[in-house]
Amino acid sequence: MKVDPSSQATTLVPVEDVTVESDPPSAKVWEGERLTLTCNAAKGNRLRYEWHFKTKTATMKLVTSGRSMTIHRVLENQAGNYSCVADNNLTAGYSQDIEVEVKVPVSIPRIWYSVHKQVKNYSARITCEAERGSPPVTFTLLRNTRKIMNNTRDFLNITFVLPITLDQNMGIFTCQAENGKKPVHSDTQMVYVARVRGVSLESRPHPLEVSVNEEMVFTCSVEEGTFPVYKWMFNGHHLQANPDSYSLNQQGNILTIPSATLVHNGTYVCSVCDAFDKTHCIKSAALQAEVKEVVPVSIEAVAVAFCCFLFLVIVLSVCCVVAFKYRTGEYNPNSGVGMEKSAIWDKDMDEQLRDCSMDNSDLESVTKM
């Protein structure tokens, strides 16, 4: 009887010399590139594989169980030590760790500058800074596309110092950063430092005449000034910090008093200085604010005013009736004709007055005159 070879038990071979092979061979990759690790055993059959990943703070078993493990787009947090285990239930072989290094290309840098004064001279401190990138990073400063300074360091920022002249265009500057990949460039930054000039102060409403609890808004403007610092004065003194009484915007040039009170009566002045030279300040013209208190009108006062108005209406109505009577009637108390005409006139007047909206008792008193 023939025995099916497949039914015969396979003899297990002990596992020996387990290693990890990397593609690329150096196990150094840029973030976003492909990495493949392969677990090799010099001896052994019917093998099962496990992968382990170890960082400085933790060791974990990976879900993948194949002989090869591929990461199609490597991330920075996937850098660390990898190892594999080959097992066939007879013996198990453990590889040495292989260190995977993930380098991060330097990000596009930002550029800005500040100005500082040394005695009578001024300098611009131009800062270049990147958010990400594996060190070392080489920073290069370009002026009008020409390289003028560079420095390689293990930090993601650098400051270049250049002498400048106030009120003069010093050029268009750009930061370049590279750490082994393609160089990246910042936006352009023109370096032009102007002193503060032409300070003006406006208000809303204008003129500044408000009632208690109404809003007042002051806006301070400069015609020119690269680094202005705003200060506010009230009645000749620096405005005291009282966030419950007023507020300033982030730049400091808009002062808002949301609910004015009588203590806000007075003059307001805006003073603007150069941030790099606090000895150079210019004041605006003063604005006078007048806050008036509104006196509430009582019900009694309203009633008295209404009664006076009503009395005036009655008096005027009586005067109009009397004037009309003497204009249309030919009244003569010594003449019978006059008496007759007067009686006729009285009768006509009674009919006319009935159509009026006046009180009947008042009308009777008028007609009997």
Side-chain angles (χ1 to χ4, degrees), residues 134-155:
S134 299
V137 178
T138 299
F139 290 97
T140 304
L141 183 65
L142 299 89
R143 177 166 57 189
N144 301 330
T145 70
R146 293 183 58 186
K147 297 180 180 181
I148 58 172
M149 293 182 179
N150 65 72
N151 195 310
T152 302
R153 52 187 304 163
D154 291 334
F155 301 98

Side-chain angles (χ1 to χ4, degrees), residues 318-319 321-322 325-326 331 342 345-346 362-369:
V318 171
C319 293
V321 171
V322 173
K325 177 179 177 180
Y326 280 95
Y331 179 69
S342 177
W345 183 87
D346 287 341
D362 291 338
L363 294 176
E364 291 176 1
S365 63
V366 173
T367 55
K368 290 178 181 179
M369 289 179 58

Side-chain angles (χ1 to χ4, degrees), residues 73-93:
R73 293 182 62 85
V74 180
L75 300 177
E76 183 182 13
N77 60 8
Q78 292 175 314
N81 294 319
Y82 290 80
S83 63
C84 71
V85 179
D87 182 16
N88 63 1
N89 289 334
L90 176 64
T91 58

Side-chain angles (χ1 to χ4, degrees), residues 47-346:
L47 300 176
R48 296 187 304 274
Y49 300 93
E50 288 182 3
W51 288 93
H52 297 268
F53 173 55
K54 180 168 47 178
T55 65
K56 294 179 180 179
T57 57
T59 300
M60 64 189 75
K61 178 182 176 180
L62 301 178
V63 177
T64 182
S65 58
R67 181 188 172 198
S68 295
M69 178 182 67
T70 299
I71 304 174
H72 294 281
R73 293 182 62 85
V74 180
L75 300 177
E76 183 182 13
N77 60 8
Q78 292 175 314
N81 294 319
Y82 290 80
S83 63
C84 71
V85 179
D87 182 16
N88 63 1
N89 289 334
L90 176 64
T91 58
Y94 298 83
S95 73
Q96 296 290 324
D97 289 345
I98 181 172
E99 183 179 3
V100 173
E101 180 182 348
V102 179
K103 297 190 67 178
V104 179
V106 65
S107 61
I108 295 175
R110 295 186 302 121
I111 181 173
W112 72 91
Y113 74 99
S114 59
V115 179
H116 297 265
K117 180 181 179 181
Q118 300 91 21
V119 191
K120 294 184 179 181
N121 298 320
Y122 298 89
S123 63
R125 298 186 179 183
I126 304 175
T127 299
C128 304
E129 183 178 56
E131 290 187 358
R132 303 179 70 233
S134 299
V137 178
T138 299
F139 290 97
T140 304
L141 183 65
L142 299 89
R143 177 166 57 189
N144 301 330
T145 70
R146 293 183 58 186
K147 297 180 180 181
I148 58 172
M149 293 182 179
N150 65 72
N151 195 310
T152 302
R153 52 187 304 163
D154 291 334
F155 301 98
L156 293 177
N157 60 72
I158 191 172
T159 299
F160 300 101
V161 181
L162 292 174
I164 62 169
T165 302
L166 298 183
D167 301 315
Q168 181 176 323
N169 189 345
M170 303 304 298
I172 305 297
F173 291 81
T174 309
C175 280
Q176 174 184 290
E178 59 179 325
N179 63 346
K181 295 287 280 185
K182 183 179 179 180
V184 290
H185 297 84
S186 70
D187 293 333
T188 58
Q189 173 68 66
M190 182 178 71
V191 175
Y192 172 77
V193 183
R195 282 194 176 278
V196 169
R197 295 184 183 88
V199 178
S200 61
L201 182 60
E202 298 178 347
S203 68
R204 190 179 75 243
H206 182 78
L208 265 177
E209 296 179 0
V210 299
S211 300
V212 171
N213 296 327
E214 290 186 344
E215 183 184 62
M216 295 192 300
V217 180
F218 301 87
T219 302
C220 188
S221 305
V222 294
E223 292 181 1
E224 199 170 15
T226 307
F227 297 101
V229 176
Y230 297 88
K231 297 180 181 180
W232 292 89
M233 302 183 72
F234 174 57
N235 288 337
H237 301 283
H238 288 289
L239 199 61
Q240 299 299 317
N242 186 2
D244 295 332
S245 178
Y246 68 88
S247 63
L248 292 170
N249 65 336
Q250 185 175 4
Q251 190 176 353
N253 70 317
I254 299 178
L255 170 67
T256 301
I257 300 176
S259 183
T261 63
L262 296 179
V263 299
H264 294 118
N265 274 310
T267 57
Y268 291 81
V269 175
C270 170
S271 176
V272 188
C273 306
D274 289 318
F276 52 87
D277 186 0
K278 298 297 177 62
T279 63
H280 182 259
C281 300
I282 298 179
K283 293 182 180 180
S284 71
L287 284 183
Q288 179 72 35
E290 183 178 354
V291 182
K292 298 179 180 179
E293 187 172 15
V294 178
V295 180
V297 180
S298 64
I299 297 177
E300 291 79 3
V302 174
V304 171
F306 177 75
C307 290
C308 293
F309 174 74
L310 184 60
F311 176 75
L312 180 61
V313 171
I314 293 173
V315 172
L316 291 175
S317 299
V318 171
C319 293
C320 289
V321 171
V322 173
F324 180 76
K325 177 179 177 180
Y326 280 95
R327 271 179 52 186
T328 59
E330 297 179 2
Y331 179 69
N332 187 348
N334 297 322
S335 171
V337 177
M339 293 285 289
E340 182 180 353
K341 289 184 177 180
S342 177
I344 296 172
W345 183 87
D346 287 341

